[in-house]
C-alpha cells in the first residue's frame, strides 16, 4: 500500500509535465482566438452597440425582418441562444454553485 | 487556422451585460430563497420533535400495558394465597374447636 502510494507520488511530476505539454498549444490557440473574440466591449464600442440595437428594432418595425433568409434567421437564433447561455453562466456564478441553489 | 472573427459590438455588449445581469439575478434569487429554506427546515425539525415525542409516549403506553398485566398476575397470586390461608385458618379453627371441645 505504501509502495503503491510512493510510486504514484513519483509519477506526479511526469503527469504534470505531460499535461502541460499537451495543453500549451491548445491554450495558445484558445488565447489567439479569445483575445479578439471574447474581449468585453471597450467603452468606444458601446454607442455602436446601441446603434446596432436600434437598427434591429427599426428592421423589426418596418417589416424587413420578414425578408431575411431562413439561413440568416437560424444563425441569428443561434447567436441569441448563445447570449442567453451567458446569462445562465452569470446566474451560476451569482448563486455560487453549478446545479441548484445551495440553501 | 482561420483568422479570428471580428465580433459585432452589439453581440459583445449583449453577452457581457447578460453575464452581469445573470450574476445579479443569481445573487438576488439566492438571498430570496435562503430564509424560506431556513424556515422550512425549522418547521420540519419541530414536526420531527413532536412526532418523536408521540412515538415515545406510544412506546411507554405499550410497555405500561405489560406492567399492568404483571400487576394483575401478582394480585391474583396474592388473592389465591390469602384464600388458601383463610381456608387453612378456618380448618384449623374448626379443628381446634372440635379438638379442644
Amino acid at each position: 500500500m505504501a509502495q503503491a502510494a510512493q510510486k504514484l507520488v513519483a509519477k506526479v511530476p511526469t503527469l504534470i509535465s505531460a499535461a502541460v505539454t499537451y495543453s500549451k498549444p491548445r491554450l495558445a490557440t484558445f488565447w489567439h482566438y479569445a483575445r479578439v473574440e471574447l474581449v468585453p466591449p471597450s467603452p468606444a464600442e458601446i454607442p455602436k452597440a446601441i446603434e446596432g440595437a436600434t437598427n434591429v428594432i427599426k428592421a423589426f418595425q418596418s417589416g424587413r425582418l420578414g425578408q431575411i433568409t431562413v439561413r440568416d434567421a437560424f444563425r441569428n437564433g443561434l447567436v441569441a441562444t448563445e447570449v442567453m447561455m451567458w446569462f445562465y453562466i452569470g446566474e451560476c456564478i451569482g448563486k455560487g454553485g453549478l446545479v441548484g441553489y445551495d440553501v | 487556422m482561420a483568422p479570428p472573427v471580428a465580433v459585432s459590438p452589439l453581440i459583445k455588449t449583449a453577452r457581457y451585460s447578460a453575464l452581469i445581469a445573470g450574476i445579479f439575478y443569481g445573487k438576488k434569487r439566492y438571498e430570496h430563497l435562503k430564509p424560506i429554506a431556513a424556515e422550512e427546515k425549522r418547521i420540519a425539525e419541530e414536526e420531527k420533535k413532536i412526532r418523536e415525542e408521540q412515538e415515545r409516549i406510544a412506546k411507554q403506553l405499550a410497555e405500561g400495558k405489560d406492567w399492568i398485566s404483571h400487576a394483575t398476575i401478582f394480585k391474583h397470586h396474592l388473592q389465591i394465597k390469602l384464600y388458601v390461608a383463610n381456608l387453612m385458618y378456618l380448618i384449623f379453627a374448626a379443628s381446634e374447636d372440635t379438638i379442644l371441645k
Side-chain angles (χ1 to χ4, degrees):
Chain A
M1 183 63 191
Q3 271 185 341
Q6 256 186 350
K7 272 196 280 190
L8 190 63
V9 165
K11 265 217 297 207
V12 163
T14 41
L15 282 175
I16 290 180
S17 64
V20 165
T21 37
Y22 176 80
S23 57
K24 254 213 171 71
R26 284 161 180 82
L27 275 178
T29 24
F30 174 73
W31 187 242
H32 172 77
Y33 283 119
R35 232 176 18 164
V36 179
E37 294 183 2
L38 279 185
V39 286
S42 64
E45 291 182 351
I46 298 184
K48 278 194 258 175
I50 299 174
E51 188 189 318
T54 42
N55 271 348
V56 168
I57 294 174
K58 270 196 291 195
F60 179 67
Q61 279 177 339
S62 70
R64 209 159 35 96
L65 277 190
Q67 293 179 351
I68 49 172
T69 62
V70 174
R71 181 200 184 94
D72 273 350
F74 187 65
R75 212 179 51 187
N76 294 346
L78 284 183
V79 170
T81 314
E82 193 219 337
V83 170
M84 249 181 41
M85 291 306 134
W86 281 61
F87 175 81
Y88 291 129
I89 291 177
E91 189 190 349
C92 285
I93 296 176
K95 72 185 176 181
L98 214 45
V99 178
Y101 287 83
D102 197 10
V103 281
Chain B
M1 259 191 348
V5 171
V7 186
S8 92
L10 171 63
I11 296 180
K12 277 200 268 198
T13 25
R15 275 182 188 159
Y16 279 93
S17 42
L19 185 72
I20 296 176
I23 294 180
F24 271 129
Y25 175 75
K27 219 158 164 358
K28 277 271 161 324
R29 188 107 185 114
Y30 181 74
E31 286 165 10
H32 170 69
L33 286 176
K34 208 167 162 61
I36 295 176
E39 185 71 24
E40 279 183 8
K41 222 194 290 195
R42 194 181 58 85
I43 289 176
E45 285 268 342
E46 283 187 7
E47 277 186 6
K48 200 168 82 130
K49 255 193 359 182
I50 288 175
R51 215 162 18 100
E52 277 185 5
E53 191 72 25
Q54 283 185 341
E55 279 178 7
R56 199 174 57 83
I57 288 175
K59 219 167 56 143
Q60 270 200 347
L61 272 182
E63 279 179 14
K65 278 214 197 91
D66 274 348
W67 177 80
I68 286 172
S69 66
H70 281 149
T72 33
I73 289 175
F74 185 65
K75 191 172 73 172
H76 287 150
H77 192 65
L78 211 56
Q79 277 179 341
I80 290 171
K81 276 217 278 224
L82 283 174
Y83 177 69
V84 168
N86 200 16
L87 214 57
M88 292 186 60
Y89 173 70
L90 282 176
I91 295 174
F92 179 68
S95 63
E96 252 200 5
D97 246 350
T98 52
I99 290 177
L100 284 181
K101 281 227 172 79

